[in-house]
Amino acid sequence: MPIRRLQTDILILGAGGAGLFAALHAQAANPSLGITIAVKGLLGKCGCTRMVQGGYNVALAPGDSVERHFMDTIEGGAWLPDQELAWTLVTGALERVRELENELGCFFDRNPDGTIHQKAFAGQSFDRTVHKGDLTGIEIMNRLSEQVWARGIGRLEEHRALEIVKTADGSAIAGVLLVDIRTGEYLFAQAKAVLLATGGGPTMYRFHTPSGDKSCDGLAMALAAGLALRDMEMIQFHPTGLLAGPHTRITGTVLEEGLRGAGGHLLNGRGERFMSALDPRAERATRDIVSRAIHAEMLAGRTSPNGGVYLSMAHLGPDNVRRQFGGMVERCADCGFDLAAGRVEVVPTAHYMMGGVEFAPDCTTALIGLFVAGEDSGGVHGANRLGGNGVANSTVFGGIAGETMARWVGREGGFRDPDSTAIDAAVARTERPFREGSAGDLESVRERLCTTMWDDAGIVRDATSLSRAAAVLTELAAELATYGLPRAARDRAFNLTWHDWLNLDSLVSVSRAIVTAAVARTNSRGAHYRRDFPDPGDLATSTYVQVRLHDGAFDCAAVHVSFSRVRPGQSLLGR
Ligand SMILES: Cc1cc2nc3c(=O)[nH]c(=O)nc-3n(C[C@H](O)[C@H](O)[C@H](O)COP(=O)(O)OP(=O)(O)OC[C@H]3O[C@@H](n4cnc5c(N)ncnc54)[C@H](O)[C@@H]3O)c2cc1C
């Protein structure tokens, strides 16, 4: 199989908030560097940053503070976040939001006095979410893309990264093997520094919110390269996914948090409000708590016609709802629901992965030359991400990664020779479905994967369900390993069946990491709830779960969380 070659000083995988910010900051730090962005979709049109609805958390307003934002992040994350990463997030967000407005030209909504409007999001002690209506991500991505297009940054669009390729001695990254989706040709991009910014995305669950291009490829590549992932058991379910029936892919897409923040009510199938009995913050409790409460209503059979619960906004005044949440009102109307004056059926939906590659605040990883930022990284949010901290994470750390890579390449960077046998092995693995005989049924694999993860490794888990999930995942991995493309589907150009197989391969591998970590955590924290271990455990001796793939098997370790700024029971406020 011929392999094209390309050399670039910096290779960025992914073109969401993390990837684009990294490219701009790397170029600003050293304009002489060759920078290339490789992206599975079209630049500016793919990934989840574009889908951001609610907004961006930053402690701008008088009365708010970075300490307060930090404490909300740590407590929301059930004391599992890495405190240096969380501190970098809350302090960096201040700088980044100014940059978004003043250098990139984002127009965020304003108060009548000209200050930036900040709305309420759940789990926060202050209204700090900056936004552009309820379609904030489009504003951010359009402005970022314009800047990237204008600056001569290289683009490999519709190029899928397949494998991290190391040097022969395994000590550093040499480059990345990619496939051009438009032709099916392979490309080896040799780079001095590589950023992993493919954005996680828990699309292995029956109901999920992320964009269709996301299949955890970056995390699967990191596992295959032997890197340690942390917090993989922490899958965030957003409480209010639209539930419009099984016939439409709009089912599962998210209705933004600001609806609950503004005072929306959740009602069960009998029309009863159930959150106020469970948490003093009622519907404004964190996502994990609200999702579990909805799940309990579903298990008890108190559901709406499609099997979820209702979101009701009408008591806030239909005109007011239409004015504040125009995008959401339209989305619901497309499915026959009246959000402003009626009720909308909703279901918890897999939204975000708190887990990812272990990294340092400067975005370095354990592999020399590999950097990580955004949803592929782990440790910023711990057990639960606050709404509004996701896009802050990708843009803050994306910018930092760009600066770090530019400095690092100037200081230490040289092209390193790849292990050519590793490239050949990666091509052979990717080519497998062109060689194998039995066609199999990818749709059935996806169906079983999504059902298993939802039922057995979802909002509520226990040892029995997780062991069932592990067994099914082993079967699915074996099925994928022997899958062969049907004879009529062997054209390489835009071969969606082949890419579906690759997507499923990544998803099954990362699902196994999720299940392994969920088995290892024998307590309940944030998004991870074990029916058989409902207590949170001792906060003062908190550990996070580290997972690694080694010779085809997953290893787990419990690592103590370092309380470098504040210990459980203490607060940075009022010091
Ligand atoms: C519907 C929705 C609403 C959200 N609303 C909010 C909100 O209001 N506030 C908030 O803070 N967060 C929100 N989030 C979360 C937020 O979008 C993410 O936290 C963040 O934007 C992730 O940024 P990223 O750059 O890491 O990944 P993304 O923006 O997802 O970008 C990933 C990129 O990697 C590319 N890619 C994937 N695989 C490969 C591969 N194999 N090779 C090459 N490229 C690849 C993708 O095509 C994409 O370009 C929302 C998420 C969703 C899904």
Side-chain angles (χ1 to χ4, degrees):
M1 214 15 82
I3 302 174
R4 261 189 322 130
R5 305 233 162 196
L6 169 149
Q7 278 193 334
T8 180
D9 293 316
I10 293 179
L11 176 68
I12 293 171
L13 304 178
L20 297 187
F21 254 104
L24 294 175
H25 276 232
Q27 201 191 44
N30 184 349
S32 69
L33 293 177
I35 301 169
T36 306
I37 300 175
V39 49
K40 205 169 171 183
L42 296 175
L43 194 143
K45 302 289 180 203
C46 56
C48 289
T49 307
R50 195 176 171 82
M51 301 170 85
V52 165
Q53 302 171 347
Y56 193 116
N57 288 346
V58 52
L60 285 178
D64 199 5
S65 66
V66 287
E67 287 80 7
R68 199 185 253 267
H69 186 183
F70 176 80
M71 287 309 303
D72 286 348
T73 302
I74 298 298
E75 283 169 357
W79 293 91
L80 290 189
D82 176 296
Q83 297 196 355
E84 295 314 303
L85 294 175
W87 186 253
T88 307
L89 172 79
V90 300
T91 50
L94 281 169
E95 186 187 324
R96 203 63 86 236
V97 85
R98 299 285 184 212
E99 186 181 347
L100 280 164
E101 272 226 319
N102 301 335
E103 291 182 34
L104 296 169
C106 290
F107 281 106
F108 294 123
D109 286 7
R110 301 255 157 202
N111 295 310
D113 67 358
T115 53
I116 293 183
H117 182 257
Q118 295 186 269
K119 65 178 161 184
F121 251 30
Q124 300 192 44
S125 61
F126 205 92
D127 296 355
R128 66 166 68 92
T129 307
V130 171
H131 63 109
K132 165 90 175 172
D134 54 9
L135 297 172
T136 310
I138 292 178
E139 179 73 359
I140 292 176
M141 282 301 287
N142 285 356
R143 302 292 83 79
L144 277 172
S145 307
E146 286 160 5
Q147 293 296 326
V148 169
W149 285 323
R151 285 170 197 228
I153 291 167
R155 304 200 304 265
L156 292 168
E157 293 179 273
E158 295 182 309
H159 276 67
R160 171 189 197 123
L162 293 168
E163 184 135 331
I164 288 167
V165 179
K166 298 190 213 173
T167 53
D169 66 2
S171 64
I173 188 168
V176 175
L177 181 73
L178 301 115
V179 62
D180 181 345
I181 295 170
R182 295 167 300 190
T183 61
E185 288 168 351
Y186 291 99
L187 167 73
F188 175 66
Q190 189 180 22
K192 297 171 181 171
V194 175
L195 178 67
L196 198 62
T198 68
T203 53
M204 65 283 279
Y205 286 89
R206 184 191 299 150
F207 301 109
H208 60 252
T209 67
S211 55
D213 50 326
K214 300 241 285 204
S215 50
C216 297
D217 296 341
L219 296 175
M221 286 190 285
L223 280 170
L227 284 151
L229 309 189
R230 61 172 285 178
D231 301 329
M232 289 305 289
E233 71 280 25
M234 302 300 177
I235 303 295
Q236 178 165 82
F237 289 83
H238 193 297
T240 53
L242 191 50
L243 184 57
H247 59 283
T248 165
R249 283 194 67 187
I250 201 140
T251 280
T253 58
V254 82
L255 294 179
E256 71 133 308
E257 183 117 317
L259 295 163
R260 284 185 294 121
H265 288 168
L266 290 167
L267 309 174
N268 63 20
R270 297 183 195 150
E272 300 154 345
R273 230 180 129 195
F274 51 90
M275 277 312 304
S276 16
L278 298 172
D279 191 287
R281 295 165 294 182
E283 282 83 357
R284 284 178 69 167
T286 47
R287 293 175 174 180
D288 50 330
I289 293 171
V290 182
S291 291
R292 268 200 305 282
I294 296 175
H295 188 249
E297 293 299 312
M298 291 165 69
L299 288 183
R302 295 187 287 270
T303 63
S304 61
N306 280 307
V309 298
Y310 293 108
L311 174 66
S312 171
M313 302 292 292
H315 58 284
L316 301 172
D319 289 342
N320 174 36
V321 176
R322 271 184 217 106
R323 194 174 53 251
Q324 278 194 64
F325 299 104
M328 296 297 102
V329 170
E330 275 179 37
R331 170 171 290 191
C332 292
D334 287 345
C335 307
F337 294 119
D338 182 355
L339 175 68
R343 291 174 180 180
V344 179
E345 284 187 73
V346 293
V347 69
T349 178
H351 187 49
Y352 189 90
M353 302 174 83
M354 273 68 79
V357 178
E358 282 199 54
F359 78 125
D362 65 356
C363 298
T364 49
T365 70
L367 181 62
I368 293 173
L370 180 73
F371 301 78
V372 68
E375 205 176 325
D376 275 345
S377 70
V380 179
H381 312 290
N384 187 33
R385 170 183 72 93
L386 298 184
N389 270 0
V391 65
N393 177 27
S394 57
T395 56
V396 166
F397 285 100
I400 292 173
E403 287 153 24
T404 305
M405 288 191 294
R407 272 199 309 274
W408 189 81
V409 166
R411 212 174 51 236
E412 340 223 350
F415 287 111
R416 293 170 293 275
D417 289 332
D419 176 359
S420 58
T421 56
I423 299 180
D424 293 344
V427 170
R429 255 194 312 282
T430 313
E431 285 289 300
R432 239 167 18 205
F434 286 100
R435 290 195 311 268
E436 297 296 333
S438 84
D441 179 359
L442 290 185
E443 216 24 62
S444 142
V445 172
R446 180 182 304 283
E447 192 65 37
R448 278 177 285 153
L449 171 66
C450 291
T451 302
T452 297
M453 291 304 285
W454 179 264
D455 289 345
D456 290 337
I459 297 169
V460 175
R461 308 109 185 235
D462 60 29
T464 313
S465 75
L466 289 168
S467 114
R468 221 169 22 234
V472 173
L473 291 172
T474 305
E475 273 169 37
L476 295 180
E479 248 176 82
L480 286 173
T482 56
Y483 174 78
L485 286 162
R487 295 249 161 252
R490 294 200 168 188
D491 187 343
R492 287 168 180 277
F494 285 114
N495 188 327
L496 297 186
T497 313
W498 183 24
H499 285 278
D500 215 18
W501 176 79
L502 286 164
N503 289 342
L504 286 165
D505 205 42
S506 295
L507 286 172
V508 169
S509 164
V510 174
S511 297
R512 296 176 88 179
I514 293 170
V515 169
T516 305
V519 170
R521 178 170 291 286
T522 49
N523 59 33
S524 292
R525 289 274 180 106
H528 171 77
Y529 187 81
R530 290 272 308 244
R531 200 183 280 112
D532 45 353
F533 295 102
D535 295 328
D538 178 29
L539 293 183
T541 55
S542 294
T543 53
Y544 67 84
V545 179
Q546 186 186 63
V547 188
R548 230 184 257 275
L549 185 59
H550 186 65
D551 285 340
F554 285 94
D555 287 344
C556 256
V559 182
H560 279 283
V561 176
S562 154
F563 299 121
S564 54
R565 288 178 184 266
V566 61
R567 301 193 64 77
Q570 297 176 339
S571 171
L572 292 191
L573 303 181
R575 274 188 180 175

